[in-house]
Amino acid sequence: MSTNAIKPQQWQDLPNGSWLQEAVEDKLASWWPKVFGYHLLSMGPLSASLEKPNLPIGREFSMVQQGDASLIGSYCNLPVQNGVIDAAVCSLLLDFELDPYRVLRETDRVLISGGYLFIIGFNPLSPAFIGKLLPKYQEQLPWCGRFFTPARVKDWLGLLGYQVIGDERLVYHHLLSNIYDESIWQHALQAWLPGSGSLYIIVARKLDTPLTPILDKQRVRRPNWSTAPTAGRTGHLRSHANKKEII
């Protein structure tokens, strides 16, 4: 996929976009009051358009590659100083970037220690993946993008030293037709295969110290000393042996 590939500029560019936006906003509503700080960075136009009620953040910056936003530039080279952002939101962004891990590394650079990172993406282990198998939809949004498994995204976060504190799925639908209301089979899919939601939301925090496994210190091998007999006991044994020889 090239960097010139089609990318969603608003939720309505996606099938059932308004439904997806509402579902994401509903899931994130309980997280916003937990985020404290001065600056929040919304990366991509979809992140900026999310409603963020009860967010105790002083100022929100929006970042896009082109268009109307607080910041204009590349997601791989953010025009932001190191460690000044308290929280960042990447909504349906990594799926359409050529180097998603580099985007995460750059986001990590600008986040403070303990900062929050919200990632929303399309789940390949879901009914939404059907569209990628059908030639009719392969060049359309969102199937023209790459779907990364939540496990892979969490592996990237682990390499960067993040602790995942939230991992949820939502929208149990293939998105190939309009969603008018949640059906019985959607409820059944959610009950029996809870990990098969078409969207995932991962919430992570940047740790002060990365979760790097520490090898146990090598134990000092103690010499295998044998118990030496005391001088008095040795003399007593020799004296007893001499008496036997005399007898």
Side-chain angles (χ1 to χ4, degrees), residues 142-163:
W143 301 284
C144 60
R146 293 180 292 175
F147 290 9
F148 299 105
T149 64
R152 185 174 183 181
V153 176
K154 287 189 286 187
D155 285 342
W156 289 339
L157 292 172
L159 292 174
L160 293 172
Y162 282 74
Q163 179 184 16

Side-chain angles (χ1 to χ4, degrees), residues 181-193:
D181 199 359
E182 292 186 350
S183 62
I184 296 177
W185 75 267
Q186 290 181 54
H187 286 290
L189 191 62
Q190 183 176 2
W192 292 98
L193 295 172

Side-chain angles (χ1 to χ4, degrees), residues 80-149:
V80 182
Q81 296 179 0
N82 296 347
V84 296
I85 300 298
D86 299 279
V89 184
C90 296
S91 182
L92 305 182
L93 181 68
L94 301 182
D95 305 81
F96 303 96
E97 289 301 311
L98 184 61
D99 193 346
Y101 182 64
R102 184 177 176 185
V103 173
L104 287 180
R105 283 189 302 167
E106 186 67 1
T107 307
D108 171 69
R109 178 184 66 80
V110 302
L111 272 175
I112 67 169
S113 179
Y116 283 83
L117 177 57
F118 298 87
I119 301 176
I120 299 97
F122 286 102
N123 180 17
L125 306 177
S126 72
F129 191 78
I130 297 175
K132 294 185 73 67
L133 305 177
L134 303 176
K136 177 182 177 181
Y137 297 98
Q138 289 175 357
E139 299 301 322
Q140 300 180 22
L141 288 169
W143 301 284
C144 60
R146 293 180 292 175
F147 290 9
F148 299 105
T149 64

Side-chain angles (χ1 to χ4, degrees), residues 187-203:
H187 286 290
L189 191 62
Q190 183 176 2
W192 292 98
L193 295 172
S196 63
S198 294
L199 290 181
Y200 65 81
I201 295 179
I202 294 176
V203 184

Side-chain angles (χ1 to χ4, degrees), residues 40-58:
L40 180 139
L41 178 62
S42 293
M43 297 180 59
L46 274 63
S47 302
S49 60
L50 287 174
E51 293 291 336
K52 305 175 182 69
N54 303 316
L55 178 65
I57 287 284

